[in-house]
């Protein structure tokens, strides 16, 4: 069996190294007589690399070679990844990708193209890096109706929040450390603004609920607004702040899909996920809660998932695996306004006691938060569980100088 790798960055080079390192066991597990890398596509110069003879700069070498059975796409970005993946599928080659941007934006189209051409399009590495999650949802949990899928889907932001929680760093200091450790990119916006997690929750929601969900349908908020005060109020409440991607099925059959920093109680399994680790909770109607935990990024964890998909393609060269979902539907993803939430609010106050009375008069059962050393020029509280639009209207009527509003999750 012959494999082509498109994109020799961190993940692509990890894929090549892993295939070479574990060649014997991979070949035997694939059920094939051989398991070889025939091409590596990259526009950069690798003429001194030990695999120099495999490199090409021309995608047509891969496309026109009938011996290439499986194409690995680890280039990232939408173009030319979408063009190359589409053409590969049309040419009867199976494709494996780690590219969450591609799957979130074009997953439905590419899965349909794979179906039409009787080949496989697999993307285990696109969510949670090395953590098995796509295959477990598609196979092991297939007997369940999924009620909810939620998780810590971004390692960089989890590292930043962990430093803020455990070491009292502020956001800027923690971001600099994440960059120094090579977790955050020099332009970290996709991570810290929540876009990376939004792409991943789109893929999970599409798979769990069987209709394509696009990133622009996910209400997305990053962690740039989180301060040490928020972290301390969350601690006083008995929890932590985590960036959570969440998709939940509603009684109406619609879903809500959000990414944002949330308060979660310390007892919750997601609360103990620290540093760059990821965890994904799937709530099934038969199985209950199942949590998948591990390294959500990095060269070899991600390559582990990619190569396993290539092995799966090798096992299914003649027979397509059933994996997919239907097209997107208008008004299927509700605005967060329509969902029920409990909200955390931190606001500046001129007269603490007066505001306290107003909050108690407005929200029956509001929980006022306090910690030793908290400034009396601020107030923080948690609303009862209620329609989010109603809660936000009530907060607006309080006429507070709001510093932060976060959801409180009930895991
Ligand atoms: N930037 C991503 C993260 C990489 O920090 O989780 C994996 O998608």
């Amino acid at each position: 069996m012959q494999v082509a790798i498109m994109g020799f960055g961190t993940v692509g080079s990890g894929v090549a190294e892993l295939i070479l390192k574990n060649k014997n066991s991979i070949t035997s597990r694939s059920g094939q007589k051989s398991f070889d890398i025939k091409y590596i596509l990259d526009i950069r110069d690798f003429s001194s690399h030990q695999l120099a003879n495999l490199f090409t700069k021309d995608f047509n070498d891969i496309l026109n070679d009938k011996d290439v059975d499986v194409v690995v796409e680890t280039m990232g970005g939408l173009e030319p990844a979408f063009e190359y993946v589409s053409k590969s599928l049309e040419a009867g080659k199976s494709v494996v990708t780690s590219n969450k941007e591609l799957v979130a934006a074009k997953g439905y189209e590419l899965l349909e193209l794979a179906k039409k051409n009787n080949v496989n399009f697999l993307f285990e590495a696109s969510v949670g890096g090395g953590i098995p999650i796509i295959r477990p949802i598609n196979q092991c949990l297939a007997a369940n109706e999924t009620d909810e899928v939620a998780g810590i889907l971004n390692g960089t932001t989890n590292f930043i929040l962990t430093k803020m929680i455990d070491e009292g760093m502020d956001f800027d200091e923690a971001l600099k450390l994440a960059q120094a450790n090579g977790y955050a990119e020099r332009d970290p916006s996709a991570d810290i603004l929540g876009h990376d997690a939004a792409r991943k929750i789109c893929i999970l929601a599409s798979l769990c609920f069987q209709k394509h969900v696009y990133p622009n349908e996910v209400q997305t908020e990053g962690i740039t607004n989180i301060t040490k005060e928020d972290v301390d109020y969350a601690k006083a409440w008995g929890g932590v702040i985590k960036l959570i991607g969440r998709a939940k099925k509603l009684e109406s059959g619609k879903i809500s899909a959000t990414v944002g920093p949330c308060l979660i109680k310390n007892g919750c399994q997601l609360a103990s996920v620290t540093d760059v680790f990821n965890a994904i909770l799937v709530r099934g109607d038969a199985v209950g809660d199942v949590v998948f935990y591990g390294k959500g990024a990095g060269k070899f964890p991600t390559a582990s998932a990619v190569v396993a998909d290539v092995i799966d393609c090798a096992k299914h060269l003649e027979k397509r695996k059933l994996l997919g979902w239907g097209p997107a539907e208008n008004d299927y993803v509700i605005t967060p306004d329509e969902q029920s939430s409990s909200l955390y609010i931190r606001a500046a106050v001129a007269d603490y006691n007066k505001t306290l009375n107003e909050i108690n008069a407005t929200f029956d059962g509001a929980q006022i938060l306090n910690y030793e050393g908290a400034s009396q020029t601020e107030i923080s509280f948690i609303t009862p569980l209620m329609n989010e639009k109603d809660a936000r209207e009530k907060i607006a009527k309080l006429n507070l100088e709001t510093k932060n509003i976060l959801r409180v999750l009930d895991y």
Side-chain angles (χ1 to χ4, degrees), residues 100 154-156 191 196 200 296-297:
K100 56 245 165 192
N154 183 270
T156 303
D191 291 322
D196 176 76
K200 292 167 180 168

